[in-house]
Amino acid sequence: MMHCQLTLSTHHSSDKKRLIEIAIEKYGLDKSECVMIGDTAYDIKGAVGAGVDSIAVTYGYGNPIEMMRSGADFMVDLAKEIGNILKI
């Protein structure tokens, strides 16, 4: 199993989508094995646009309702909950 963590620093969903797609291509990743973990609606919209699953975290900057409306696949309140979703 390969784990790849990238930090994406941009505030626009179209940029997030592009950066996710670049990472997938650069590292030869399978979209079905990728997940975007984000704390804003921009992160979630970027994941949706790139065709990858997303986990919205409520302990960051974003609004949980906006993240769910943007299409978050999962939402967590604690970092330790991410492992349960990823089954790691």
Side-chain angles (χ1 to χ4, degrees):
M1 175 187 295
M2 178 181 158
H3 294 277
C4 175
Q5 175 185 341
L6 299 170
T7 302
L8 307 176
S9 190
T10 181
H11 298 291
H12 301 286
S13 59
S14 61
D15 292 342
K16 299 281 183 170
K17 174 186 178 287
R18 184 177 60 80
L19 291 171
I20 293 167
E21 292 171 339
I22 289 169
I24 289 169
E25 184 177 332
K26 179 176 180 176
Y27 294 103
L29 304 174
D30 181 341
K31 283 185 182 186
S32 68
E33 295 180 357
C34 295
V35 62
M36 172 68 160
I37 300 170
D39 67 347
T40 69
Y42 292 122
D43 297 329
I44 304 308
K45 289 175 184 177
V48 170
V52 301
D53 289 339
S54 61
I55 300 173
V57 297
T58 61
Y59 48 85
Y61 293 102
N63 179 305
I65 294 170
E66 288 178 8
M67 289 187 286
M68 287 307 293
R69 287 183 180 157
S70 295
D73 295 296
F74 302 94
M75 182 170 287
V76 299
D77 296 317
L78 303 169
K80 66 182 181 180
E81 296 174 299
I82 295 169
N84 295 333
I85 294 168
L86 300 178
K87 297 179 178 40
I88 55 171

